[in-house]
Amino acid sequence: MFTRVYLFERIRADRRVDPSVSQRELARRHQVSRRTVRAALASAVPPPRKPPVRGRPLALGPVLAAVDEMLRSDVVGPRKQRHTIERICQRLAVEHGFTDASYSTVRNYVARRRPEILAEAREGRGHLDGMVPQIHPPGEEAEVDFAEAFAVVGGTQMKSYLFTLRMSYSGKAVHRVFASQGQEAFMEGHVEAFRVLGGVPTRHIRYDNLKPAVRQVLFGRGRVESQRWVAFRSHYGFHAFYCLPGKDGAHEKGGVEHEGGRFRRNHLVPPPQVASLTELNDRLAEIDAAEDARHVHGAPASIGFNFAAEAPLLHPLPADDFELGTTLTPLVRRNARIVVRQCYYSVPARFIDRKVRVSLRANEVLVFDGRQVVARHPRLSRRYDYRDDLDHYLEILLVKPGALAGSTALAQARAEGSFTPVHDAFWAAARAAHGEAEGTRALIEVLLLHRQLPHAALVAGITATVNTGSCSPELVAIEARKAADAGIVADPSDAATPIDDGAEDGLALAEPADEPASGGARVISLHARRLPSGTDHKPPPMSVYDQLLSHRTKGTTA
């Protein structure tokens, strides 16, 4: 493409070849003016073209001051009541009798003039919308935020909430997933993060105006905080810095805003498939530890290297723990359920029409009778959802055996795998031998044995009983005790497990175990924890089953 630079180069080349050639001749050769020839000989770079200076449209000349005054009034007027082009034309016609300018002429002038008037109005009192880089001393500051994340838990996709606490200096972050972003999850996330970090930031932690912490947003930085949250901060000894509401506040803690999305895209895509949120949090803990080798963008050292210098500067953790659970006292209904945050949980039937103490935690619900845990459920997040434990209804089912087949507790036990095909086989044999009612009662007596015997041994006893053609609960008890005494099967879930507050767990159906029973059957535990073994907690005597003395004579074999 022929350009002025190329033209200048040709003119200068001709003069170098023939220094005697005149400017008139060069102008004739290249068909340009002598002014262009003089400019080419003076400089190899063409001078910039002067932009044409357009004057104000003549049509608006008489009313330019009036239009400018309308635009200036918009600067101080209500934001939603500013002049439109149509309104300016109307006022010019009515107030000034001016109709010579077209709509497009007014529009073009306003488009150019309005920004100028706005800049003039802001001069000296406005501010530039920008950011100032900050420095974060080690050990002083952290940022907290929640982010939504989906996971497949127990075969069902559910929306969970990713809690993130990020140290501002090193970039060290702790991530945990909860079923909700309520106050229990909010505080439990802090406790877990402080435990991993080994201390507490010395200056403050930055937050959005989250409901678990802030009850009311006042003018400026003023906030009315939740009393329980204030007690939590006081216990761990840190201050809260609340960012401005809206988008501007997000920039005040941009580190954790970016961190939540980065972690979700890198480690939660596709949605992880886990059996429980506890398993997912164990995975996240491993990922957090591995990310110590990562470098934050622009940082010469790794996260782990920087945090090693930051960790000794943190405040130490308090000696005692803070009670994180919210205490409630719901009434047990006639269906052996309690209502906690619009969700339904079963409790042992003996507590019907009584109030029980409930500790609502981030991912689980504990039901107490005094200091003893009588029921334990994973926390539900969807309104009107329910969680029933088959063991809680056995006393009622002894009186109403016909209600077992269609019960929600049995359906959940089957879906979780805790009610095994071995139980179904025994139930079918008992109904064939004794009829529907008595056969179901025989099954319920077997289910009651789960409170006293290890599950693996009991499944072995049921299998041996069914294989002999019997459906006697007494024979099941004998065979199960023989299997337990011989040590043929062992269920690790039957080990004693310490419970918070020194309490013992109730008799609840539990997760499937992995050990096979005798005969190749899969062993699945029907309860989460057993009574601790030892001199103080001996299992009930089984001598009543030593001899096959029973009121049932039909369908049994010795």
Side-chain angles (χ1 to χ4, degrees):
M1 181 178 179
F2 189 79
T3 62
R4 285 174 59 83
V5 176
Y6 182 62
L7 173 63
F8 277 35
E9 190 272 336
R10 290 174 58 189
I11 295 173
R12 293 169 66 86
D14 288 351
R15 172 57 70 90
R16 285 195 301 270
V17 173
D18 185 6
S20 63
V21 65
S22 65
Q23 294 184 8
R24 184 186 299 274
E25 178 60 21
L26 291 174
R28 185 189 63 79
R29 288 180 187 179
H30 298 285
Q31 299 180 359
V32 295
S33 66
R34 282 179 287 177
R35 180 184 299 175
T36 303
V37 173
R38 286 194 299 269
L41 296 177
S43 173
V45 180
R49 293 184 180 272
K50 295 181 179 179
V53 179
R54 295 186 177 90
R56 293 180 176 179
L58 298 178
L60 282 178
V63 292
L64 286 179
V67 175
D68 289 352
E69 186 61 31
M70 296 178 195
L71 298 179
R72 289 191 180 93
S73 66
D74 288 344
V75 176
V76 296
R79 184 176 61 86
K80 294 187 177 182
Q81 292 177 248
R82 295 175 180 172
H83 284 86
T84 62
I85 307 301
E86 183 67 28
R87 181 56 181 159
I88 292 175
C89 293
Q90 291 175 359
R91 290 191 61 183
L92 290 178
V94 174
E95 299 177 12
H96 302 276
F98 183 82
T99 58
D100 293 342
S102 64
Y103 180 91
S104 60
T105 301
V106 178
R107 180 194 60 200
N108 295 337
Y109 176 75
V110 171
R112 177 178 61 84
R113 185 63 176 144
R114 194 193 294 270
E116 296 175 354
I117 291 178
L118 184 61
E120 293 172 1
R122 288 182 174 179
E123 185 177 357
R125 63 181 180 86
H127 67 277
L128 295 177
D129 187 11
M131 299 181 184
V132 179
Q134 300 290 301
I135 186 172
H136 303 285
E140 290 191 2
E141 299 180 21
E143 302 168 342
V144 165
D145 198 15
F146 274 108
E148 292 184 357
F150 284 87
V152 180
V153 180
T156 303
Q157 180 169 288
M158 64 172 289
K159 182 170 72 172
S160 57
Y161 298 91
L162 178 66
F163 174 91
T164 303
L165 186 145
R166 180 183 183 273
M167 296 300 297
S168 300
Y169 171 76
S170 63
K172 171 73 173 177
V174 179
H175 306 84
R176 292 296 182 267
V177 169
F178 298 100
S180 72
Q181 49 183 344
Q183 191 176 69
E184 299 81 18
F186 185 59
M187 294 191 298
E188 188 170 321
H190 280 79
V191 172
E192 183 66 13
F194 294 157
R195 183 191 64 80
V196 174
L197 298 176
V200 182
T202 59
R203 184 182 178 190
H204 60 230
I205 302 178
R206 296 175 182 267
Y207 300 96
D208 282 334
N209 299 282
L210 300 167
K211 289 186 178 179
V214 177
R215 293 175 52 193
Q216 184 179 0
V217 178
L218 305 179
F219 181 77
R221 300 282 182 181
R223 303 292 187 271
V224 177
E225 296 179 289
S226 165
Q227 295 300 306
R228 184 169 172 79
W229 169 242
V230 173
F232 179 84
R233 289 198 299 101
S234 175
H235 181 82
Y236 284 94
F238 67 93
H239 297 283
F241 178 92
Y242 296 106
C243 301
L244 297 174
K247 185 177 179 180
D248 292 338
H251 295 305
E252 294 183 334
K253 58 179 187 64
V256 73
E257 293 281 352
H258 169 76
E259 174 62 25
R262 182 204 66 83
F263 189 88
R264 179 173 52 196
R265 290 187 297 271
N266 284 274
H267 302 293
L268 299 179
V269 176
Q273 299 188 11
V274 293
S276 65
L277 291 181
T278 301
E279 178 184 342
L280 179 55
N281 282 326
D282 291 340
R283 291 190 190 180
L284 299 188
E286 296 175 0
I287 294 173
D288 289 342
E291 284 208 329
D292 283 349
R294 184 174 66 89
H295 285 246
V296 177
H297 178 71
S302 67
I303 292 176
F305 182 86
N306 288 333
F307 182 70
E310 186 176 34
L313 303 177
L314 300 174
H315 279 320
L317 295 173
D320 53 338
D321 295 331
F322 188 86
E323 175 55 42
L324 300 175
T326 300
T327 301
L328 306 171
T329 56
L331 179 69
V332 181
R333 300 185 173 188
R334 296 289 295 171
N335 56 5
R337 285 176 174 176
I338 56 175
V339 182
V340 178
R341 299 287 170 84
Q342 296 182 306
C343 295
Y344 302 95
Y345 303 90
S346 67
V347 298
R350 65 179 182 273
F351 296 105
I352 289 177
D353 292 333
R354 289 174 51 187
K355 284 189 175 183
V356 292
R357 180 169 62 90
V358 172
S359 178
L360 179 64
R361 304 189 178 182
N363 287 333
E364 66 178 352
V365 176
L366 301 181
V367 183
F368 289 87
D369 177 30
R371 292 179 57 84
Q372 182 183 14
V373 178
V374 296
R376 182 191 299 265
H377 296 281
R379 180 169 177 172
L380 304 175
S381 58
R382 187 171 56 186
R383 288 195 307 170
Y384 310 125
D385 206 351
Y386 58 87
R387 181 82 179 185
D388 291 336
D389 195 324
L390 181 57
D391 186 80
H392 295 163
Y393 294 92
L394 295 182
E395 285 80 4
I396 299 177
L397 292 172
L398 281 174
V399 182
K400 301 178 179 180
L404 175 62
S407 63
T408 58
L410 179 61
Q412 286 192 351
R414 280 201 173 108
E416 297 168 357
S418 56
F419 192 88
T420 67
V422 175
H423 293 83
D424 272 318
F426 180 88
W427 191 11
R431 286 184 295 180
H434 302 298
E436 289 289 335
E438 291 302 320
T440 301
R441 287 193 176 95
L443 172 67
I444 295 172
E445 289 188 17
V446 171
L447 295 179
L448 286 169
L449 294 175
H450 282 283
R451 301 178 179 180
Q452 304 173 3
L453 293 170
H455 176 268
L458 192 55
V459 170
I462 298 174
T463 303
T465 302
V466 172
N467 289 340
T468 61
S470 174
C471 56
S472 168
E474 294 85 350
L475 184 57
V476 170
I478 293 175
E479 293 294 334
R481 192 175 65 173
K482 287 166 56 179
D485 292 342
I488 297 176
V489 290
D491 189 351
S493 67
D494 296 324
T497 304
I499 306 299
D500 295 345
D501 299 326
E504 300 167 356
D505 199 9
L507 305 168
L509 300 181
E511 306 295 332
D514 295 328
E515 295 77 3
S518 60
R522 182 177 176 83
V523 178
I524 298 179
S525 178
L526 284 177
H527 52 88
R529 294 178 174 82
R530 303 294 195 278
L531 294 174
S533 59
T535 57
D536 296 334
H537 298 85
K538 295 181 179 179
M542 299 297 295
S543 58
V544 66
Y545 296 116
D546 283 347
Q547 297 180 358
L548 296 180
L549 300 176
S550 172
H551 63 280
R552 292 188 180 84
T553 58
K554 180 177 169 183
T556 62
T557 59

